[in-house]
Amino acid sequence: MRAMVYRGPYRMRVEEKPMPRIEHPNDAIVKVELAAICGSDLHLYHGMMPDTRVGTTFGHEFIGVVHEVGPSVQRLQPGDRVMVPFNVYCGSCFFCARGLYSNCHNVNPNATAVGGIYGYSHTTGGYDGGQAEYVRVPFADVGPSIIPDWMDDEDAVLLTDALATGYFGAQLADIVEGDVVVVFGAGPVGLYAAKSAWLMGAGRVIVIDHLEYRLEKARSFAHAETYNFMEYDDIVVHMKKITEHIGADVAIDAVGAEADGNFLQHVTSVKLKLQGGSPIALNWAIDSVRKGGTVSVMGAYGPMFSAVKFGDALNKGLTLRMNQCPVKRQWPRLFEHIQNGYLKPNDLVTHRIPLEHIAEAYHIFSAKLDDCIKPLILPNAS
Amino acid sequence: MAYTPDKPPLAESTDDLRARIPGWGADLDPKDRPAFPRERFDPDASGAHWTFPERQEPHEDRERSIEHKFVTPAFGTSVGLKGLSGALRRVAYRRYSEGRAAHWLILLAADRVDVLESNVGSFLSLHPDNPFTETGVVSELTHHGLSSRLNRKRADLSHQWIDPVIVSAPWVAGAAVAYSAAKRARALTSQGR
């Protein structure tokens, strides 16, 4: 089968790989119909995530058709069209039994601090991802769901991570009616988080980024007030000025490990790999939120240490909330919101690129060319 | 403002927001939020029909964090351990917990060794690496590389010049080593004559 293969930082190609096979009785093999590149895939692409092995296939956002099932699979059969959450999880461990599917303890031998994720290095379990023609899906009775007939395929693939994560981020912020919410990062997760903040009753939603075309999308898609941090000497001071010097009630970090805005922080983390991630957006969130406020962290960071301003978080009495999103828990409510017309996920899709051009797709997304917000990958396009 | 008791009034009333934003307040009640409460003990909710899953085989030689009691019942088999990078990774897993910086630093070092091993190895195969096509940099020409940057206030422009250096440095270093070795071999050959 054809699959994207990592060859080293900033490099990848499409290769013939052996077909995935049933390795566990509850596995399924899924023929991928549509995949996406996630902002967090760029951390792998840039060589930031430890134990990213040459030969790995990335991709944790995908939908497809069940091709084969293992002997213990009861809920799926070949031919079913499924959407697959980015979490690999068993459904029965201490953490899964409490709904913490993203923190499963039975799927990742390489680390206890993180659960299993498709195509996201051996640090998250060593599973190949869905930027390929076929993919192995462990615990097929637990993770995948059949795609409802009414659902658009692009909406379905966006539900496997980006939309669910943005919505989850807004929930972790514990928004109450009238809250002032600031979202750092106008990528897909940040835009979905901003949109979701309104569903939870926010009174004002502010989005910060440095890419004007994404801020334009924040205004049109997420109805947000926007600021380009490049236009201000100090975005934290500006945040204080526009909130009567109180600060926002809630701040959401939807940027993560590759944040820009401070040359030294960015270079020491993204280029030199001396930090688990560049915590610029997180530090801005900590400093922009009001005392007693809440910071929700949806941006992904690596397992190494980062220079985070915990002193300010302590002194301000902040609540810091974070997790990888337990995707499937979000789906029933998100399905309702889509059906009611409150959310239209695929409004953020800007590029649809055949798998054979995967290297170009990553470069476009990474270098922010062509006003790219969300690229989809078509495994079977000619 | 911050120096007096009351919260500043919002620019828009609740009615205005409800009229302007589709779905405003639909999840106002935390009970309607699927992530609330964060932990909800309900072992039947996931669909798992086991309390401990069957085990994936073979697992005896699978590397694992020493913070785990055993190799987990399911695991990925994307790329096995091999070569010097594999030996380094094995040390990182056997020796250091996830709490130790040494664990991650060795894994990061192993990643660089892996790239070197794999790239050199590719030239002994029918499918050698092509550092140009594999970067996707051709999209600079097809997807508005210049106009995506020109006259735009982008913070990342200050460091994008480092990316080609990161990509090309191992190849330049490799070429320098190969050139130096060839030069030395030629000198030794001519001395022998």
Side-chain angles (χ1 to χ4, degrees):
Chain A
M1 67 154 184
R2 304 290 283 165
M4 164 268 154
V5 165
Y6 173 71
R7 295 300 302 170
Y10 296 84
R11 291 193 296 115
M12 61 183 51
R13 66 189 185 193
V14 176
E15 281 182 12
E16 280 295 325
K17 282 182 85 165
M19 278 283 287
R21 55 188 182 81
I22 303 290
E23 299 186 63
H24 181 280
N26 209 249
D27 279 355
I29 305 300
V30 169
K31 184 176 194 293
V32 180
E33 290 190 328
L34 190 60
I37 306 177
C38 176
S40 62
D41 285 329
L42 297 180
H43 310 333
L44 299 170
Y45 176 60
H46 295 150
M48 294 177 69
M49 179 61 85
D51 209 357
T52 302
R53 300 180 190 174
V54 174
T56 302
T57 296
F58 299 168
H60 54 267
E61 301 182 2
F62 58 90
I63 62 170
V65 179
V66 176
H67 174 72
E68 185 184 356
V69 294
S72 80
V73 174
Q74 299 174 1
R75 295 190 172 86
L76 292 180
Q77 55 190 355
D80 286 342
R81 296 189 72 245
V82 289
M83 47 204 289
V84 183
F86 78 83
N87 326 107
V88 181
Y89 64 106
C90 74
S92 64
C93 68
F94 178 93
F95 305 101
C96 286
R98 286 159 178 77
L100 301 174
Y101 302 144
S102 52
N103 308 106
C104 177
H105 215 62
N106 272 336
V107 291
N108 179 7
N110 297 74
T112 57
V114 59
I117 302 175
Y118 293 95
Y120 210 76
S121 84
H122 273 67
T123 293
T124 68
Y127 297 92
D128 265 334
Q131 289 164 11
E133 287 183 311
Y134 293 87
V135 61
R136 171 192 169 208
V137 174
F139 296 115
D141 280 333
V142 171
S145 277
I146 292 175
I147 301 172
D149 290 337
W150 54 266
M151 188 175 285
D152 179 271
D153 281 359
E154 293 188 350
D155 288 348
V157 80
L158 292 163
L159 276 157
T160 63
D161 181 358
L163 173 60
T165 295
Y167 180 62
F168 179 65
Q171 289 174 82
L172 284 190
D174 279 339
I175 294 165
V176 298
E177 185 172 342
D179 268 354
V180 176
V181 177
V182 57
V183 180
F184 288 92
V189 169
L191 293 169
Y192 290 135
K195 183 100 173 167
S196 301
W198 294 120
L199 300 178
M200 289 163 216
R204 185 180 179 190
V205 177
I206 300 162
V207 175
I208 311 286
D209 202 289
H210 66 110
L211 296 167
E212 199 49 53
Y213 72 91
R214 291 190 175 193
L215 291 173
E216 170 55 37
K217 186 59 94 172
R219 292 188 287 272
S220 62
F221 172 82
H223 316 284
E225 177 182 336
T226 64
Y227 298 96
N228 184 334
F229 68 76
M230 292 293 284
E231 292 176 0
Y232 300 90
D233 179 49
D234 185 330
I235 193 66
V236 171
V237 172
H238 184 66
M239 281 302 304
K240 295 290 169 62
K241 284 182 180 169
I242 64 171
T243 56
E244 302 273 355
H245 291 271
I246 293 173
D249 297 295
V250 158
I252 299 174
D253 167 9
V255 181
E258 301 198 37
D260 263 302
N262 180 307
F263 184 81
L264 190 65
Q265 288 270 31
H266 186 89
V267 169
T268 55
S269 54
V270 182
K271 310 300 184 201
L272 302 178
K273 333 292 185 203
L274 299 176
Q275 298 192 66
S278 163
I280 303 164
L282 180 52
N283 286 338
W284 283 350
I286 287 170
D287 286 336
S288 298
V289 78
R290 72 169 169 87
K291 291 175 221 179
T294 298
V295 174
S296 164
V297 186
M298 282 302 100
Y301 291 86
M304 285 268 287
F305 36 76
S306 297
V308 178
K309 300 180 72 177
F310 273 109
D312 282 0
L314 166 76
N315 291 327
K316 294 177 76 170
L318 302 186
T319 299
L320 304 182
R321 303 202 65 199
M322 62 207 84
N323 200 356
Q324 296 278 355
C325 174
V327 170
K328 202 169 175 180
R329 250 177 93 169
Q330 320 307 316
W331 281 354
R333 188 65 173 163
L334 282 173
F335 288 9
E336 288 175 22
H337 288 329
I338 291 170
Q339 284 192 292
N340 287 332
Y342 301 159
L343 295 171
K344 187 74 188 82
N346 79 346
D347 278 355
L348 298 189
V349 175
T350 51
H351 291 72
R352 297 159 182 89
I353 301 174
L355 176 65
E356 294 298 323
H357 297 296
I358 193 81
E360 286 80 9
Y362 268 80
H363 184 79
I364 291 165
F365 192 37
S366 170
K368 312 289 183 289
L369 305 185
D370 210 23
D371 291 354
C372 184
I373 295 178
K374 187 68 178 176
L376 300 185
I377 300 299
L378 315 171
N380 302 302
S382 54
Chain B
M1 63 177 184
Y3 307 94
T4 52
D6 292 327
K7 186 172 179 174
L10 291 166
E12 289 178 281
S13 70
T14 298
D15 287 341
D16 291 342
L17 289 168
R18 194 170 271 121
R20 182 169 76 90
I21 315 280
W24 184 89
D27 291 335
L28 202 50
D29 186 343
K31 290 196 189 94
D32 289 327
R33 302 177 186 178
F36 174 86
R38 189 173 72 157
E39 293 193 21
R40 236 181 350 210
F41 184 72
D42 186 2
D44 298 325
S46 72
H49 42 88
W50 49 79
T51 51
F52 182 76
E54 291 180 73
R55 303 194 74 116
Q56 183 177 332
E57 301 289 351
H59 64 262
E60 292 76 16
D61 200 37
R62 180 62 158 77
E63 75 280 3
R64 67 172 169 88
S65 165
I66 55 175
E67 294 181 44
H68 263 305
K69 186 176 181 180
F70 42 64
V71 172
T72 53
F75 51 86
T77 53
S78 169
V79 181
L81 298 176
K82 59 179 189 303
L84 176 60
S85 57
L88 285 168
R89 284 167 174 144
R90 218 173 264 292
V91 169
Y93 282 109
R94 282 195 180 150
R95 191 93 197 258
Y96 300 103
S97 75
E98 297 157 57
R100 304 277 292 275
H103 177 82
W104 302 111
L105 291 170
I106 292 171
L107 288 175
L108 279 171
D111 289 350
R112 303 298 163 259
V113 173
D114 185 10
V115 171
L116 192 66
E117 288 176 325
S118 302
N119 290 172
V120 171
S122 79
F123 287 99
L124 306 174
S125 74
L126 295 173
H127 200 181
D129 277 299
N130 180 333
F132 183 73
T133 57
E134 289 172 2
T135 58
V137 73
V138 70
S139 58
E140 289 284 340
L141 302 175
T142 58
H143 287 77
H144 311 103
L146 192 61
S147 60
S148 295
R149 296 183 178 88
L150 213 58
N151 296 324
R152 297 205 183 191
K153 290 175 185 165
R154 289 179 49 166
D156 52 341
L157 298 184
S158 67
H159 56 74
Q160 280 195 352
W161 60 272
I162 300 174
D163 297 347
V165 176
I166 291 174
V167 175
S168 60
W171 298 88
V172 172
V177 168
Y179 175 74
S180 161
K183 205 171 161 186
R184 196 161 193 176
R186 191 181 298 170
L188 286 172
T189 313
S190 54
Q191 268 177 12
R193 283 177 196 156

